[in-house]
Amino acid sequence: MEYVFLSIGLVAGVVLGFLIHLIIVRTALKGRKEEILAQAELEGEKIKNDKILQAKEKFLNLKSEHDKAFNERNNQIREAENRIRQKENAVNQQTGELQRRQKELDTMKASLTSQHEALDRKAAEYEKLSAEANRQIESIAGLSAAEAKNILMENMKAEARTEAQAYINDTMDEARLNAAKEAKRIVINTIQRTATETAIENAVTTFPIESDEIKGRIIGREGRNIRALEAATGVEIVVDDTPDAILLSAFDPVRREVARLALHQLVIDGRIHPARIEEVVAKVKKQLEDEILETGKRTCIDLGIHGMSMELVRLIGRMKYRSSYGQNLLQHSREVANICAIMASELGMNPKIAKRAGLLHDIGKVSEEEPELPHAILGMQLAEQYKEKPEICNAIGAHHEEIEMTSLIAPLVMVGDAISGARPGARREVIESYIKRLKGMEDLAQSYPGVTKAYAIQAGRELRVIVGAEEVTDAEAAALSGEIAKKIQDEMTYPGQVKITVIRETRSVAYAK
């Protein structure tokens, strides 16, 4: 029982202590709250006073600025008023000066009027005296004034006509003399400033060999290698007693170059047989085509010509292996281009267009189509096909006067071509006619159906014709040689006799896999 009462008393003590603590805490919080409110009121009052002071200060500043601006505006108005007063004074002075001058002008006008009236009276008296003098002259001369005037005018016209004609004749003679001198000066300067090498193409190329053993390998068993090489390249290979050399004979420099390069590779490689020969020849032809294109590009770069079609560039490269009357065609075209550019510069024309036309003027000579057209017309058509300018195309077509000249560049190209070709030693007419004759023989043979290739060899004394085995039989091949011989005999002029050899070869190829 005592424990129960003790427990109840303990609980009551704890509760009473908690209530007392609660009362103490609330009393403390109430005091703290009042203290915070008082402090807040003090800070608010302080902030209010600060804002009032700032507002007053700002007001004073604005008032000061406004007064300053007002004073400046008043000063400007006063200055403007002063300037206006000064201008009014100046205007008043000028008005007075103008009034004074107006009075002087009125006085002068009256004086001039009186002088003019006096002059009119004198003019009337002069006309009267002049008419009287004319009547007296007419009565003395027996002619009217109009008749005398006409006679005088006719005499003056005849005299003026005679003097004018004499002046025109003198001027024309002087112009002809000066034109001739100037033309000679331009041509001489052009020749002096243009220097190129003159290359004379031959029909034979010498290929050096090291020993007779290599010569025998080139010939092959029963001559099969040399026959395969001749058939693949169209070049006659002459193997004689000449030590350490083999002769490659053909009128076409491209064929000779293909044969020379192919022989060089075959000798280095050591494998010489018909299949390898055909493979090397095909590879060399591709390499030579690349070299031709590179030559064309290099030529255009050297001459400063840009924007030309790649096909025209390739044809320019082919000029390296073409001769014109014994003169290398590429060197001739470069020379004509330089001559045309120099003459155009001397005459105040566009040297770039003249140089371009000069380079392309003989492009028709290296065309692969070779139609029955003059090379100038063919070159003009090629230039038109590859979008060259009309004046360049006309210059190409007219440089041999086969069409009418419509541009000023055309006579320059014609003169440049004549200057380049007329130099001593530049051309040989014989080799050009020789090449044309051999080319004509090849074209004649290739005109027959079934003919795949035709090569003129032995300086035109033999024509080798290769026909397709699938298209031509042995009997037809035998008849074809006679037909070609008869046509050459009827249509062409040639020294001695021409041997026509028709070759028909059947090949069978299979692959073991």
Side-chain angles (χ1 to χ4, degrees), residues 62-214:
L62 290 174
K63 185 174 181 301
S64 174
E65 292 176 357
H66 180 267
D67 293 341
K68 184 178 179 181
F70 182 76
N71 293 331
E72 290 179 354
R73 182 63 177 169
N74 288 337
N75 292 332
Q76 291 176 358
I77 291 171
R78 284 194 293 271
E79 291 176 358
E81 290 176 350
N82 293 331
R83 287 196 297 271
I84 290 171
R85 291 193 191 94
Q86 292 175 0
K87 289 182 179 179
E88 287 179 353
N89 295 331
V91 168
N92 292 333
Q93 292 177 0
Q94 290 177 0
T95 303
E97 183 68 19
L98 288 174
Q99 290 175 354
R100 185 181 62 79
R101 290 185 179 181
Q102 183 65 36
K103 291 179 182 179
E104 293 178 355
L105 288 173
D106 292 338
T107 305
M108 293 175 65
K109 183 177 179 182
S111 175
L112 289 173
T113 302
S114 61
Q115 292 178 5
H116 183 67
E117 291 175 354
L119 288 173
D120 290 340
R121 289 193 299 271
K122 290 182 179 180
E125 294 177 358
Y126 173 76
E127 289 178 358
K128 184 177 179 180
L129 294 173
S130 178
E132 183 66 25
N134 288 336
R135 282 194 297 271
Q136 293 179 3
I137 292 172
E138 288 177 0
S139 63
I140 295 172
L143 294 174
S144 65
E147 292 174 348
K149 183 178 179 181
N150 291 333
I151 293 172
L152 179 62
M153 288 179 63
E154 290 296 329
N155 292 336
M156 292 180 67
K157 285 182 180 178
E159 184 179 355
R161 191 179 297 111
T162 302
E163 292 179 358
Q165 188 62 41
Y167 178 75
I168 290 171
N169 292 336
D170 293 341
T171 304
M172 291 295 292
D173 292 339
E174 184 179 359
R176 290 192 189 96
L177 182 61
N178 291 337
K181 289 182 179 179
E182 185 66 16
K184 290 178 181 178
R185 185 188 67 82
I186 291 174
V187 172
I188 291 171
N189 288 342
T190 302
I191 294 174
Q192 288 176 342
R193 291 164 60 183
T194 304
T196 58
E197 298 179 358
T198 302
I200 302 299
E201 295 291 334
N202 295 318
V204 176
T205 298
T206 302
F207 180 77
I209 56 176
E210 296 179 355
S211 63
D212 290 339
E213 179 186 357
I214 296 177

Side-chain angles (χ1 to χ4, degrees), residues 303-443:
L303 295 176
I305 296 174
H306 307 286
M308 188 175 289
S309 168
M310 281 283 88
E311 186 61 26
L312 287 180
V313 173
R314 189 178 67 83
L315 291 176
I316 290 172
R318 287 181 63 86
M319 290 182 181
K320 179 181 177 181
Y321 301 99
R322 175 73 161 84
S323 61
S324 177
Y325 298 99
Q327 185 180 22
N328 182 269
L329 190 59
L330 181 59
Q331 294 294 336
H332 167 64
S333 298
R334 289 172 64 110
E335 188 174 281
V336 173
N338 288 324
I339 291 172
C340 291
I342 293 171
M343 288 195 294
S345 298
E346 292 286 341
L347 296 172
M349 299 166 62
N350 190 335
K352 291 185 178 180
I353 295 179
K355 184 179 290 186
R356 198 181 188 103
L359 180 63
L360 296 175
H361 80 285
D362 273 346
I363 202 74
K365 290 185 177 181
V366 292
S367 173
E368 297 176 349
E369 298 177 0
E370 303 253 355
E372 294 298 326
L373 286 174
H375 75 273
I377 304 299
L378 179 58
M380 179 183 69
Q381 293 178 356
L382 288 172
E384 291 173 348
Q385 179 182 350
Y386 296 111
K387 311 300 182 185
E388 290 294 324
K389 293 183 178 180
E391 55 265 34
I392 294 177
C393 299
N394 177 257
I396 295 171
H399 78 275
H400 285 313
E401 297 184 302
E402 289 166 332
I403 64 171
E404 182 181 358
M405 296 182 183
T406 59
S407 68
L408 295 177
I409 301 297
L412 293 185
V413 173
M414 184 177 68
V415 171
D417 182 42
I419 292 172
S420 175
R423 291 186 296 100
R427 292 187 170 185
R428 293 191 302 181
E429 300 289 337
V430 177
I431 193 169
E432 181 68 15
S433 60
Y434 159 74
I435 290 173
K436 283 185 177 179
R437 177 169 60 83
L438 298 189
K439 185 63 178 174
M441 291 174 62
E442 290 184 351
D443 293 342

